Protein backbone atom coordinates (compact mmCIF):
# COMPACT_ATOMS: atom_id res chain seq x y z
CA UNK A 1 0.00 0.00 0.00
CA UNK A 2 1.42 3.37 -1.01
CA UNK A 3 1.16 6.37 1.31
CA UNK A 4 2.06 10.02 0.91
CA UNK A 5 5.52 8.96 2.12
CA UNK A 6 5.87 6.46 -0.74
CA UNK A 7 7.61 7.60 -3.90
CA UNK A 8 6.70 4.96 -6.47
CA UNK A 9 5.26 6.35 -9.69
CA UNK A 10 4.86 5.24 -13.28
CA UNK A 11 8.11 4.76 -15.16
CA UNK A 12 8.77 5.91 -18.69
CA UNK A 13 11.66 5.67 -21.16
CA UNK A 14 14.71 5.61 -18.91
CA UNK A 15 17.59 7.76 -20.16
CA UNK A 16 20.99 7.03 -18.65
CA UNK A 17 22.08 10.63 -19.20
CA UNK A 18 19.87 13.69 -18.91
CA UNK A 19 20.28 17.46 -18.81
CA UNK A 20 19.06 19.89 -16.18
CA UNK A 21 19.99 23.53 -16.62
CA UNK A 22 23.65 23.85 -17.56
CA UNK A 23 24.54 20.31 -16.41
CA UNK A 24 24.41 16.77 -17.76
CA UNK A 25 23.84 14.01 -15.17
CA UNK A 26 24.31 10.24 -15.39
CA UNK A 27 21.61 8.19 -13.64
CA UNK A 28 22.95 5.38 -11.42
CA UNK A 29 21.94 2.00 -12.90
CA UNK A 30 19.72 0.84 -10.02
CA UNK A 31 17.80 4.11 -9.89
CA UNK A 32 14.52 4.34 -11.80
CA UNK A 33 13.68 7.18 -14.19
CA UNK A 34 10.19 8.67 -13.74
CA UNK A 35 8.00 11.22 -15.42
CA UNK A 36 8.21 14.29 -13.11
CA UNK A 37 5.09 14.59 -10.95
CA UNK A 38 5.24 18.40 -10.99
CA UNK A 39 5.86 20.86 -13.84
CA UNK A 40 8.51 22.53 -11.64
CA UNK A 41 10.63 19.37 -11.71
CA UNK A 42 13.07 18.99 -14.60
CA UNK A 43 13.83 15.33 -13.79
CA UNK A 44 12.79 12.74 -11.20
CA UNK A 45 14.31 9.44 -10.08
CA UNK A 46 13.25 6.77 -7.59
CA UNK A 47 15.71 4.69 -5.59
CA UNK A 48 14.18 1.32 -4.69
CA UNK A 49 14.94 0.09 -1.18
CA UNK A 50 14.16 -2.93 0.93
CA UNK A 51 10.61 -3.97 1.84
CA UNK A 52 9.00 -1.55 -0.62
CA UNK A 53 10.79 1.51 0.74
CA UNK A 54 11.93 4.09 -1.79
CA UNK A 55 13.71 7.43 -1.90
CA UNK A 56 12.88 10.21 -4.34
CA UNK A 57 15.45 12.33 -6.20
CA UNK A 58 14.15 15.51 -7.81
CA UNK A 59 15.92 18.07 -10.01
CA UNK A 60 14.95 21.72 -10.34
CA UNK A 61 16.21 24.64 -12.43
CA UNK A 62 14.31 27.91 -12.64
CA UNK A 63 16.65 29.87 -14.93
CA UNK A 64 19.16 32.68 -14.37
CA UNK A 65 18.58 34.67 -11.18
CA UNK A 66 15.58 32.52 -10.16
CA UNK A 67 15.01 30.07 -7.32
CA UNK A 68 16.49 32.07 -4.44
CA UNK A 69 19.88 32.05 -2.79
CA UNK A 70 21.74 28.92 -1.79
CA UNK A 71 21.07 29.70 1.90
CA UNK A 72 17.34 30.31 1.27
CA UNK A 73 17.08 26.86 -0.32
CA UNK A 74 19.05 25.21 2.51
CA UNK A 75 16.67 26.86 4.99
CA UNK A 76 13.59 25.81 2.98
CA UNK A 77 14.76 22.20 2.82
CA UNK A 78 15.61 22.14 6.55
CA UNK A 79 12.15 23.55 7.36
CA UNK A 80 10.62 20.39 5.86
CA UNK A 81 12.10 18.41 8.78
CA UNK A 82 11.46 18.42 12.52
CA UNK A 83 13.01 16.59 15.44
CA UNK A 84 10.99 13.83 17.15
CA UNK A 85 9.63 16.42 19.62
CA UNK A 86 8.46 18.65 16.74
CA UNK A 87 11.19 21.28 17.08
CA UNK A 88 12.95 22.55 13.96
CA UNK A 89 16.22 20.92 12.90
CA UNK A 90 19.30 22.53 11.45
CA UNK A 91 20.66 21.16 8.20
CA UNK A 92 24.38 20.62 7.77
CA UNK A 93 26.13 21.95 4.68
CA UNK A 94 29.48 21.57 2.98
CA UNK A 95 30.60 23.41 -0.14
CA UNK A 96 33.24 22.45 -2.64
CA UNK A 97 34.49 23.65 -5.99
CA UNK A 98 34.31 21.28 -8.97
CA UNK A 99 36.11 23.01 -11.84
CA UNK A 100 34.27 26.36 -12.07
CA UNK A 101 31.14 25.13 -10.24
CA UNK A 102 30.48 25.61 -6.54
CA UNK A 103 28.45 22.69 -5.17
CA UNK A 104 26.78 22.94 -1.77
CA UNK A 105 25.74 19.62 -0.22
CA UNK A 106 22.93 19.65 2.33
CA UNK A 107 21.98 16.95 4.85
CA UNK A 108 19.06 16.78 7.27
CA UNK A 109 17.21 14.04 9.13
CA UNK A 110 14.14 13.69 11.31
CA UNK A 111 10.43 13.72 10.56
CA UNK A 112 9.92 14.81 6.95
CA UNK A 113 6.81 16.86 6.21
CA UNK A 114 6.01 15.56 2.74
CA UNK A 115 3.84 17.71 0.49
CA UNK A 116 3.75 20.85 -1.60
CA UNK A 117 4.74 24.16 0.01
CA UNK A 118 1.66 25.79 1.56
CA UNK A 119 -0.40 22.62 1.12
CA UNK A 120 -1.26 19.73 3.40
CA UNK A 121 1.66 17.65 4.64
CA UNK A 122 2.19 14.04 5.65
CA UNK A 123 4.64 13.39 8.51
CA UNK A 124 7.18 10.73 7.54
CA UNK A 125 9.22 9.63 10.58
CA UNK A 126 12.88 8.61 10.38
CA UNK A 127 13.48 10.27 7.01
CA UNK A 128 16.54 12.06 5.69
CA UNK A 129 17.52 14.48 2.97
CA UNK A 130 20.66 14.73 0.91
CA UNK A 131 20.64 17.71 -1.40
CA UNK A 132 23.03 19.50 -3.69
CA UNK A 133 22.94 22.96 -5.19
CA UNK A 134 25.10 23.45 -8.27
CA UNK A 135 25.68 27.16 -8.87
CA UNK A 136 25.57 28.40 -12.46
CA UNK A 137 25.17 31.73 -14.24
CA UNK A 138 22.55 29.92 -16.35
CA UNK A 139 20.52 29.22 -13.20
CA UNK A 140 21.37 27.10 -10.19
CA UNK A 141 20.41 23.42 -10.28
CA UNK A 142 18.83 21.95 -7.15
CA UNK A 143 19.02 18.18 -6.61
CA UNK A 144 17.14 16.77 -3.63
CA UNK A 145 16.96 13.18 -2.35
CA UNK A 146 14.44 12.37 0.38
CA UNK A 147 13.46 9.02 1.80
CA UNK A 148 13.82 6.64 4.73
CA UNK A 149 16.95 7.59 6.66
CA UNK A 150 18.68 4.20 6.23
CA UNK A 151 18.13 4.24 2.45
CA UNK A 152 19.33 7.84 2.07
CA UNK A 153 22.43 7.06 4.13
CA UNK A 154 23.11 3.90 2.09
CA UNK A 155 22.76 5.66 -1.28
CA UNK A 156 24.44 8.95 -0.35
CA UNK A 157 27.80 7.95 -1.94
CA UNK A 158 26.04 7.25 -5.29
CA UNK A 159 24.10 10.53 -4.99
CA UNK A 160 27.29 12.50 -4.30
CA UNK A 161 29.09 10.77 -7.19
CA UNK A 162 26.21 11.56 -9.58
CA UNK A 163 26.37 15.23 -8.58
CA UNK A 164 30.16 15.54 -8.58
CA UNK A 165 30.46 13.88 -11.99
CA UNK A 166 27.84 16.19 -13.60
CA UNK A 167 29.29 17.86 -16.67
CA UNK A 168 28.73 21.44 -17.72
CA UNK A 169 27.09 21.65 -21.14
Amino acid sequence: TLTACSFLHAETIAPTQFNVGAFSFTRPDAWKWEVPTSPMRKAQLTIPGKNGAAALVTFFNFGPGQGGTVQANVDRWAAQFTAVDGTPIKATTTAQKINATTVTFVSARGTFLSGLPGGPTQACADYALRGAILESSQGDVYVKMTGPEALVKETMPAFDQMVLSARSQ
Side-chain angles (χ1 to χ4, degrees):
T1 303
L2 297 180
T3 67
C5 295
S6 299
F7 298 122
L8 299 177
H9 304 286
E11 293 179 42
T12 185
I13 298 170
T16 301
Q17 294 189 325
F18 57 96
N19 300 329
V20 178
F23 302 96
S24 176
F25 295 89
T26 301
R27 176 179 52 85
D29 291 337
W31 297 11
K32 309 291 185 204
W33 176 264
E34 295 187 349
V35 173
T37 57
S38 161
M40 291 176 51
R41 295 177 181 174
K42 303 302 180 195
Q44 182 171 310
L45 307 173
T46 298
I47 306 169
K50 297 177 181 111
N51 303 319
L56 181 67
V57 182
T58 52
F59 297 76
F60 300 87
N61 172 258
F62 304 105
Q66 302 297 307
T69 65
V70 169
Q71 189 60 52
N73 281 279
V74 169
D75 294 345
R76 187 177 309 111
W77 290 350
Q80 293 180 302
F81 284 82
T82 62
V84 174
D85 64 4
T87 59
I89 61 98
K90 182 163 178 55
T92 59
T93 61
T94 57
Q96 60 189 96
K97 214 46 160 169
I98 306 300
N99 299 320
T101 303
T102 299
V103 178
T104 301
F105 284 102
V106 182
S107 294
R109 62 187 181 90
T111 299
F112 176 57
L113 304 175
S114 175
L116 297 174
T121 60
Q122 169 82 27
C124 304
D126 301 318
Y127 263 51
L129 167 136
R130 180 63 167 178
I133 301 168
L134 294 84
E135 295 181 47
S136 169
S137 62
Q138 298 177 43
D140 294 350
V141 171
Y142 310 91
V143 186
K144 181 179 162 189
M145 172 174 60
T146 53
E149 185 175 357
L151 182 57
V152 170
K153 184 176 180 180
E154 175 188 324
T155 57
M156 196 164 68
F159 177 90
D160 289 1
Q161 179 60 32
M162 176 186 67
V163 169
L164 292 173
S165 63
R167 293 179 312 283
S168 294
Q169 301 184 74

